[in-house]
PDB file of all heavy atoms in Angstrom:
ATOM      1  N   TYR A  86      -2.720   6.497   8.342  1.00  0.00           N
ATOM      2  CA  TYR A  86      -3.293   5.247   7.849  1.00  0.00           C
ATOM      3  C   TYR A  86      -4.047   5.414   6.553  1.00  0.00           C
ATOM      4  O   TYR A  86      -4.141   4.515   5.744  1.00  0.00           O
ATOM      5  CB  TYR A  86      -4.109   4.566   8.940  1.00  0.00           C
ATOM      6  CG  TYR A  86      -3.205   3.972   9.998  1.00  0.00           C
ATOM      7  CD1 TYR A  86      -2.867   4.627  11.132  1.00  0.00           C
ATOM      8  CD2 TYR A  86      -2.623   2.708   9.768  1.00  0.00           C
ATOM      9  CE1 TYR A  86      -2.004   4.105  12.076  1.00  0.00           C
ATOM     10  CE2 TYR A  86      -1.751   2.167  10.730  1.00  0.00           C
ATOM     11  CZ  TYR A  86      -1.476   2.880  11.853  1.00  0.00           C
ATOM     12  OH  TYR A  86      -0.586   2.328  12.778  1.00  0.00           O
ATOM     13  N   GLY A  97      -1.515  -0.966  -6.417  1.00  0.00           N
ATOM     14  CA  GLY A  97      -2.316  -1.962  -7.127  1.00  0.00           C
ATOM     15  C   GLY A  97      -2.754  -1.447  -8.487  1.00  0.00           C
ATOM     16  O   GLY A  97      -2.771  -2.209  -9.493  1.00  0.00           O
ATOM     17  N   GLU A 104       0.384  -4.171 -16.283  1.00  0.00           N
ATOM     18  CA  GLU A 104       0.072  -5.467 -16.897  1.00  0.00           C
ATOM     19  C   GLU A 104      -0.782  -5.252 -18.146  1.00  0.00           C
ATOM     20  O   GLU A 104      -0.555  -5.913 -19.181  1.00  0.00           O
ATOM     21  CB  GLU A 104      -0.662  -6.329 -15.920  1.00  0.00           C
ATOM     22  CG  GLU A 104      -1.103  -7.684 -16.501  1.00  0.00           C
ATOM     23  CD  GLU A 104       0.090  -8.551 -16.975  1.00  0.00           C
ATOM     24  OE1 GLU A 104       1.203  -8.371 -16.522  1.00  0.00           O
ATOM     25  OE2 GLU A 104      -0.199  -9.477 -17.744  1.00  0.00           O
TER      26      GLU A 104
END
Side-chain angles (χ1 to χ4, degrees):
Y86 286 94
E104 176 63 21

